[in-house]
């Protein structure tokens, strides 16, 4: 049978608006904050990383879909609880952000990495289309 493997892909909702409104330095703070949430929520075998732009992912070895969905929801909640203070007070006071997440998983040595990424990516975009700030699991 082999062990389970899950992938969680995350996209910061409306990140372009953050950069456009508060500046790229504040956008970088947001990225660092989200990265810290991923690091602090991950277990030792998990591998968080940045895919590019405002898209990040975590590989979860040994996690089934239910465990990966729980992880994604913990991450989503912790991201929504973050507060950021723009460097330029003229742009407004503290603000928060949300994220959309896609979850996919597989079992055994035959898990195809490209299929896993494609499934998580499709679930992520389903979360975006469904209104953002949610996790969707590819079933």
């Amino acid at each position: 049978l082999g062990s389970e493997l899950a992938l969680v892909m995350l996209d910061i909702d409306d990140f372009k608006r953050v950069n456009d409104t508060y500046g790229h330095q504040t956008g970088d703070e947001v990225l660092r904050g989200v990265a810290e949430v991923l690091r602090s929520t991950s277990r030792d075998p998990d591998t968080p990383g940045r895919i590019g732009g405002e898209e990040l992912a975590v590989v979860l070895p040994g996690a089934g879909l239910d465990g990966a969905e729980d992880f994604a929801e913990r991450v989503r909640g912790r991201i929504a609880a973050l507060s950021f203070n723009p460097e330029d007070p003229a742009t407004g006071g503290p603000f928060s952000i949300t994220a959309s997440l896609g979850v996919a998983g597989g079992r055994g040595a035959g898990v195809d990495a490209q299929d896993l990424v494609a499934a998580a990516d499709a679930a992520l975009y389903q979360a975006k289309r469904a209104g953002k700030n949610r996790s969707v699991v590819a079933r």
Side-chain angles (χ1 to χ4, degrees):
L1 282 175
S3 65
E4 294 179 299
L5 177 68
L7 175 65
V8 175
M9 292 180 70
L10 171 155
D11 187 82
I12 301 169
D13 296 328
D14 304 312
F15 185 70
K16 182 181 181 329
R17 184 177 50 80
V18 170
N19 278 334
D20 291 349
T21 304
Y22 304 106
H24 290 277
Q25 283 187 311
T26 301
D28 288 347
E29 275 184 49
V30 167
L31 287 170
R32 284 191 293 275
V34 170
E36 180 52 36
V37 166
L38 290 180
R39 274 194 294 275
S40 66
T41 309
S42 296
R43 308 163 302 165
D44 281 342
D46 300 340
T47 306
R50 184 174 177 193
I51 296 172
E54 69 275 15
E55 201 165 68
L56 299 98
V58 183
V59 177
L60 303 162
L65 276 179
D66 289 342
E69 183 177 21
D70 290 346
F71 171 85
E73 279 299 299
R74 278 194 311 278
V75 165
R76 191 183 62 75
R78 289 177 183 176
I79 289 171
L82 294 173
S83 181
F84 299 94
N85 289 303
E87 198 163 289
D88 179 1
T91 60
F95 67 94
S96 59
I97 59 163
T98 60
S100 298
L101 298 95
V103 180
R107 176 182 283 284
V111 174
D112 183 271
Q114 288 181 325
D115 289 346
L116 197 61
V117 169
D121 192 51
L124 167 61
Y125 281 95
Q126 186 179 347
K128 290 281 194 186
R129 285 190 304 274
K132 304 178 183 174
N133 190 27
R134 66 191 69 228
S135 302
V136 171
V137 177
R139 302 247 182 225

